[in-house]
Amino acid sequence: MSNLVPAFYEWLSKMEENRMACGVILASCKNFSAESLELVKRDMEAQLADTMTMHFAHDKSKNILGILLEQKKLADTHFYALQVKDYLLGRKLLTGGLLIASFPESSRSSAQMLMRMIQEMKDASELGSITVYEQHAANREQEPASILLVNQDETVNEFLRIYLQRKGYQVTVAHDGMDGMEKFREAAYDLVITDLNLPVVSGYQLMEKIRHLGQEAMSKIMVLTDKRLEEDVQKSFALGASDYITKPFSPVELEARVKRLIS
């Protein structure tokens, strides 16, 4: 998981809650130091601070500079991206292209939009090119919600994978806690359904990692387990779970709770 998401966590949560417009600019910047980030922040704020509030973060592992523009739609974001591009080129900080988007024009979820934009930045792009990440409203409505299912029980995995896919969800299966962590870092999910009894890394540790990344408000968590003790329920909710279901379970009830959490 890119550190851009937890870095922007507070502002992304605010946008989600208030449905505020926000522009996002991602730029490929290798060999980008903490000093470079402070320089960019100082110069860009001096140049544009009278027109908006800006938020900056850099992911060194992915070589991405992220900029959030408060209450800016896509057209405005594109305009400011041109200025960001010229500045970064002039400072010899830009090593690839820029990807831009705006919430809610480009996606129904600001957090999911940012995470999917980060995934798209893996593709090499021409130096200085500006690409618009945008999904039309009709396509957004048709986009299936994504679920990460973390369970060591092969029978449960296969049953739920088929059942939930038939209900229109996109399901990814992880067979232990470590596999779940790796898959969670690689992609954006609307919901994580996890058991507590997991090999290698427990369900508790998985939830704690998600909370540490600042993702519990962006990816909902449902616990599906045979643990019935009150202390297990309380600990799960304390770690960020939004729902707790015990086995054996009704698939109809589970799907209804999934729909409630994702909607």
Side-chain angles (χ1 to χ4, degrees):
M1 179 65 63
S2 170
N3 64 13
L4 292 181
V5 178
F8 290 142
Y9 169 67
E10 184 177 353
W11 174 242
L12 288 171
S13 299
K14 181 180 178 182
M15 285 192 300
E16 290 288 349
E17 181 180 353
N18 299 313
R19 306 297 293 179
M20 297 169 60
C22 176
V24 178
I25 301 173
L26 299 184
S28 297
C29 296
K30 291 183 181 178
N31 302 318
F32 199 90
S33 64
E35 291 75 18
S36 299
L37 180 61
E38 289 303 315
L39 178 65
V40 171
K41 288 174 61 176
R42 185 196 68 195
D43 291 348
M44 296 307 299
E45 286 176 348
Q47 182 177 344
L48 303 171
D50 59 333
T51 61
M52 78 187 110
T53 299
M54 310 173 73
H55 305 267
F56 299 81
H58 178 250
D59 187 329
K60 186 176 181 180
S61 65
K62 296 183 181 296
N63 302 312
I64 299 174
L65 169 67
I67 305 175
L68 297 188
L69 313 177
E70 289 194 18
Q71 301 194 45
K72 295 301 178 184
K73 295 185 177 181
L74 189 61
D76 293 326
T77 303
H78 193 207
F79 171 77
Y80 291 116
L82 291 169
Q83 299 181 60
V84 170
K85 180 193 74 171
D86 290 342
Y87 174 84
L88 293 175
L89 283 173
R91 292 283 182 176
K92 301 187 185 304
L93 295 171
L94 192 66
T95 58
L98 295 86
L99 183 62
I100 67 170
S102 68
F103 172 81
E105 290 175 281
S106 302
S107 175
R108 62 186 180 186
S109 164
S110 61
Q112 299 291 349
M113 178 183 76
L114 177 60
M115 287 188 281
R116 286 174 178 142
M117 288 177 69
I118 292 168
Q119 293 167 26
E120 287 196 12
M121 287 293 287
K122 294 178 182 177
D123 299 330
S125 55
E126 182 181 351
L127 179 65
S129 64
I130 298 178
T131 304
V132 177
Y133 170 90
E134 184 175 16
Q135 295 178 323
H136 296 296
N139 292 333
R140 293 203 307 270
E141 293 300 324
Q142 296 172 5
E143 180 184 357
S146 58
I147 297 174
L148 174 61
L149 176 61
V150 190
N151 200 303
Q152 63 176 324
D153 189 323
E154 295 289 347
T155 302
V156 171
N157 284 341
E158 186 64 10
F159 171 76
L160 282 181
R161 183 185 64 80
I162 295 173
Y163 183 82
L164 292 172
Q165 283 180 344
R166 286 177 175 174
K167 295 296 181 179
Y169 299 101
Q170 178 182 329
V171 181
T172 300
V173 174
H175 301 283
D176 58 57
M178 182 61 72
D179 187 26
M181 280 188 180
E182 292 174 354
K183 285 184 167 63
F184 184 84
R185 290 192 186 101
E186 292 169 357
Y189 295 96
D190 296 295
L191 176 67
V192 177
I193 302 177
T194 182
D195 198 347
L196 297 178
N197 296 316
L198 297 172
V200 188
V201 173
S202 72
Y204 292 127
Q205 291 172 307
L206 175 60
M207 287 189 286
E208 190 171 8
K209 182 64 175 179
I210 292 174
R211 184 176 67 170
H212 177 71
L213 291 170
Q215 297 303 301
E216 71 273 13
M218 305 169 194
S219 298
K220 297 294 179 63
I221 301 173
M222 173 188 288
V223 172
L224 178 62
T225 184
D226 56 7
K227 286 181 172 288
R228 297 172 177 272
L229 294 179
E230 183 64 25
E231 62 188 64
D232 293 309
V233 178
Q234 291 178 354
K235 185 175 181 180
S236 295
F237 281 111
L239 288 172
S242 298
D243 205 346
Y244 193 103
I245 299 178
T246 56
K247 302 175 185 177
F249 61 92
S250 162
V252 175
E253 179 184 359
L254 184 142
E255 198 269 328
R257 293 195 188 188
V258 166
K259 183 181 297 185
R260 176 181 60 82
L261 287 178
I262 292 178
S263 63

